[in-house]
Amino acid sequence: MSTPAPILVWFRNDLRLHDHPALRAAADSNASIIPVYLHCPESEGAWPQGSASNWWLHHALQDLATQLEKKGSQLILRSGKDPLVLLQNLCQETGAHHIYWNRRYEPEAIQTDTRIKTALPGKSFPGDMLWEPHAVHTQSGGPYKVFSPYYKALQQKGEPPEPLPEARSWQHPQTFPPSESLTQWALLPQTPWDSAFLDHWTPTLQGAKTQLNLFLDESVAHYKTLRDSPSKSGTSRLSPYFHFGQLSPRTVWHEAGNDESNGHEAYIRQLVWRDFAKQLLFHFPHTDTQPLQEKYASFPWLKNPDALKKWQQGQTGYPLIDAGMRELWTTGWMHNRVRMVVASFLVKDLLISWQAGAAWFWDTLVDADLANNSFGWQWAGGCGADAAPYFRVFNPILQSKKFDPQGTYIRKWVPELRSLSDAHIHEPWNAPSPPATYPAPMVNHAEARDRALDALASIKK
Ligand SMILES: Cc1cc2nc3c(=O)[nH]c(=O)nc-3n(C[C@H](O)[C@H](O)[C@H](O)COP(=O)(O)OP(=O)(O)OC[C@H]3O[C@@H](n4cnc5c(N)ncnc54)[C@H](O)[C@@H]3O)c2cc1C
């Protein structure tokens, strides 16, 4: 009996062994498996991975390679311009007849998949969503643009598919093709701006498991009440693991359960927001750079590099904004409530475009995700689906008093303000002796709000 030709399993944003439909199908086929990862930044269009994501990717690939070695396998790394060419070469070198992969839903990735499917015997499997975009639609067959009915439609579908168990073992080829070395790809920074990242993250499969268990044991029950407090460990901090696929949302859905009596349902709802954002980008592929609501394309944004820099560096003079931007720079992550407030500040108080904010987040977030980032920024800019209306402008002082009343979060990230009283920490300029090293507010919020509303009125005319 002849041995079946090997199968290439192409890993992408699914750097795990459990609930991996492509790997599982290949393992069940009895053919030998060659796991590959392709580094092709140019195939990502305008969105090659940013610096912080590259940091995560390096560690996640190193870990995946180790886990595969424990199974007697090897992760083959190849880089180039076009994944199709690299896969063609690998098929020729190894005699593989099939390529299996899990689907991605971003516009560039879909185009790549389509080209590969036309040229090679490829088979794709469901990617990292609870339900794929084509599985949920309105009664007229169109996509949802509002979250609540989308959520209802998902609830009516019942439980998402059960996660697939990890294959215990599978067949290996007698020899593996040559692999490039991960260090050659230079994903880690040349200057050590990432020194604090490893204090905050364990970017491995075990790290994902540990973080999930910690959250389920200690925090999910309080999720509803604590999720808006940036100084508390109230949210799961699983977003980078989801983005790189070290955890699948189906696994987390089934492990967390959907019990309405505590925080579980509120948590699952966030996973549905994630699906919602992904299906929006899938159905409206221009929304990574263009507003979904067309009238906002003519919004009179200001080009103000100095102001943008102050925002990026956490030097705006508004303590909550500066704490958030410094948390982002130091750890590659920012709490969701603070993301909303800093985004509103950039777009409304500074009148700098949401695209400029999205680009900075793209480079600095370890969880930078095209669908979630575009969705979050369009939400803040009031120009996306189900967005906050543009006329609703977050007041950075009131948000600070409401969500960080004792200033614990601010004190952690803005050391210049540590000695201020709770009463003055949100408005240091009112303190009897404001710290000399902390800047005065770069804009007057009340005036900036009026200016934003005038700009809005100008596009309504
Ligand atoms: C301007 C802006 C930009 C954002 N950019 C990104 C991004 O690039 N990548 C990213 O993963 N999230 C982004 N978010 C959404 C959200 O802030 C993060 O997902 C969340 O803070 C991650 O922390 P967590 O894992 O503790 O979240 P939890 O509260 O524990 O939520 C669990 C998971 O649900 C998903 N989720 C939570 N909130 C949202 C949301 N509003 N939209 C979509 N999915 C959500 C995430 O995958 C998250 O890990 C952005 C939000 C805003 C306002």
Side-chain angles (χ1 to χ4, degrees), residues 373-394:
N373 199 38
S374 309
F375 175 74
W377 278 97
Q378 293 224 19
W379 181 90
C383 56
D386 212 7
Y390 193 88
F391 59 79
R392 201 176 291 152
V393 181
F394 277 133

Side-chain angles (χ1 to χ4, degrees), residues 231 400 404-412 422 425-426:
S231 66
S400 183
D404 187 32
Q406 276 85 45
T408 316
Y409 177 74
I410 293 172
R411 285 194 181 86
K412 180 168 182 187
D422 293 2
I425 194 143
H426 309 285

Side-chain angles (χ1 to χ4, degrees), residues 223 235-239 267 270 336 339 367 369 372-373:
Y223 184 74
T235 70
S236 68
R237 295 175 65 96
L238 289 173
S239 46
Y267 184 68
Q270 293 313 116
N336 180 60
R339 289 189 203 202
D367 66 20
D369 180 276
N372 283 2
N373 199 38

Side-chain angles (χ1 to χ4, degrees), residues 257-272:
N258 203 11
D259 180 354
E260 281 185 32
S261 61
N262 51 34
H264 295 233
E265 197 261 345
Y267 184 68
I268 293 298
R269 207 179 157 88
Q270 293 313 116
L271 294 187
V272 179

